[in-house]
């Protein structure tokens, strides 16, 4: 992710500097007098945390819950344009659990939180903050007004599907009027398509910013060129499944 320098000799100094900087940021927020908008934001984060799906069981520990809360709140106040939206909590938790698990040299799900020291919590929290910021930095425009990043991603999904699975693309274009709006295409695929096709499309989308050609090839390899003739959800069955579930209408996005 580019969080630490490639030069191994500089990593310790760089990590130490970033961890100290985060500690100062978090302490400053703790000491500042929060405005009404800040308190509303903090309350929203607090009510979203129990809804977290990823590693939900770890959020039963107060130390982890507070660490995630501080990361989200600190990042939101320092980036008012994108601020905080529900779902960001799902991104922070995996970072924190992964960094904490490193101290015990165990897989994340085998982490024993009771054995983690206070200093280890602080280190993992700081590293999670900077990795979270780095991760969101590549999709900042997904959370700004008008969500141009999401619109661009949906356009890329359409182009990828058109190149890699033209028969399905034509079917959806003919049957679904809202194909070009927001995340509707992904919603439709996840509700009416096969798991393999959805997985192939999402994995390929990750590769899109780097190489559209590779992305298209990945889709074909995961999904299989003979999908429409060999999969139980053939073009006709896919259409029937869509009509039977949605009664010919677009599935709701809400």
């Amino acid at each position: 992710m580019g969080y630490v320098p490639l030069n191994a000799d500089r990593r310790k100094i760089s990590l130490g500097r970033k961890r100290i900087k985060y500690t100062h940021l978090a302490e400053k927020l703790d000491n500042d007098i929060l405005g009404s908008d800040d308190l509303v934001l903090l309350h929203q984060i607090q009510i979203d945390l129990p809804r977290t799906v990823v590693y939900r069981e770890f959020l039963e520990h107060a130390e982890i819950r507070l660490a995630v809360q501080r990361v989200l709140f600190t990042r939101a106040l320092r980036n008012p344009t994108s601020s905080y939206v529900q779902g960001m909590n799902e991104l922070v938790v995996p970072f924190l659990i992964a960094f904490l698990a490193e101290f015990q040299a165990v897989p994340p799900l085998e982490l024993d939180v009771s054995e983690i020291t206070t200093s280890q919590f602080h280190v993992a929290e700081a590293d999670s903050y900077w990795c979270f910021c780095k991760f969101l930095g590549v999709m900042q425009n997904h959370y700004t007004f008008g969500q141009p990043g999401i619109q661009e991603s949906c356009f890329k999904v359409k182009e990828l599907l058109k190149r890699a699975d033209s028969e399905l693309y034509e079917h959806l274009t003919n049957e679904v009027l809202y194909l070009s709006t927001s995340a509707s295409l992904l919603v439709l695929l996840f509700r009416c398509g096969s798991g393999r096709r959805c997985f192939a499309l999402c994995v390929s989308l990750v590769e899109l910013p780097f190489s559209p050609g590779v992305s298209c090839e990945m889709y074909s390899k995961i999904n299989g060129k003979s999908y429409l003739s060999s999969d139980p959800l053939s073009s006709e069955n896919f259409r029937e499944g869509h009509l039977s579930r949605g009664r010919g209408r677009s599935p709701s996005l809400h």
Side-chain angles (χ1 to χ4, degrees):
M1 293 185 64
Y3 172 48
V4 294
L6 294 177
N7 188 332
D9 295 333
R10 296 174 51 202
R11 289 176 187 171
K12 185 176 181 179
I13 297 176
S14 177
L15 284 174
R17 186 185 306 117
K18 287 179 178 293
R19 289 164 180 167
I20 291 174
K21 182 177 181 180
Y22 172 74
T23 299
H24 290 164
L25 291 174
E27 289 178 348
K28 184 177 184 301
L29 289 180
D30 287 340
N31 297 326
D32 283 351
I33 298 177
L34 301 178
S36 57
D37 290 341
D38 298 336
L39 292 174
V40 170
L41 174 62
L42 180 59
H43 176 67
Q44 184 61 53
I45 293 173
Q46 291 172 336
I47 62 178
D48 283 346
L49 285 180
R51 303 170 180 168
T52 304
V53 176
V54 181
Y55 297 134
R56 179 197 297 268
E57 63 273 23
F58 290 109
L59 289 175
E60 297 175 1
H61 299 273
E63 299 91 340
I64 291 182
R65 192 165 58 250
L66 290 174
V68 175
Q69 176 180 302
R70 279 192 296 267
V71 168
L72 291 169
F73 190 55
T74 302
R75 195 266 171 194
L77 292 187
R78 286 177 53 82
N79 296 269
T81 303
S82 55
S83 188
Y84 165 81
V85 296
Q86 186 177 12
M88 288 184 178
N89 49 308
E90 304 282 358
L91 301 177
V92 175
V93 177
F95 281 124
L96 183 61
I97 300 304
F99 285 128
L100 288 174
E102 284 190 352
F103 292 115
Q104 297 179 357
V106 297
L109 290 176
E110 297 179 13
L111 172 67
D112 185 353
V113 179
S114 63
E115 297 295 324
I116 299 295
T117 66
T118 301
S119 60
Q120 290 173 338
F121 264 114
H122 290 165
V123 168
E125 181 181 334
D127 290 345
S128 299
Y129 171 80
W130 293 113
C131 285
F132 176 58
C133 291
K134 189 78 173 179
F135 185 76
L136 285 188
V138 301
M139 55 177 68
Q140 178 86 4
N141 58 359
H142 283 58
Y143 301 101
T144 54
F145 179 76
Q147 299 176 317
I150 293 180
Q151 300 297 330
E152 181 182 2
S153 294
C154 289
F155 173 77
K156 290 179 178 178
V157 170
K158 286 177 55 185
E159 292 301 303
L160 168 63
L161 190 60
K162 185 176 181 180
R163 291 176 58 183
D165 205 334
S166 59
E167 191 171 350
L168 173 62
Y169 175 84
E170 292 175 3
H171 164 71
L172 292 178
T173 302
N174 293 331
E175 296 290 342
V176 186
L177 298 178
Y178 64 94
L179 186 61
S180 61
T181 62
S182 190
S184 305
L185 175 58
L186 287 177
V187 172
L188 175 69
L189 285 176
F190 272 101
R191 290 187 60 180
C192 306
S194 74
R196 173 180 291 185
R197 174 166 280 170
C198 297
F199 175 73
L201 188 58
C202 290
V203 170
S204 303
L205 182 58
V206 172
E207 185 65 29
L208 265 175
F210 307 102
S211 174
V214 172
S215 180
C216 186
E217 182 180 354
M218 289 174 64
Y219 179 93
S220 298
K221 287 184 177 180
I222 297 174
N223 192 43
K225 290 185 177 180
S226 59
Y227 176 88
L228 290 175
S229 61
S230 62
D231 194 282
L233 270 177
S234 64
S235 179
E236 183 61 28
N237 289 338
F238 185 89
R239 177 179 182 276
E240 290 177 358
H242 167 56
L243 293 178
S244 64
R245 295 185 190 191
R247 297 183 183 278
R249 297 172 296 161
S250 305
S252 173
L253 293 180
H254 304 287

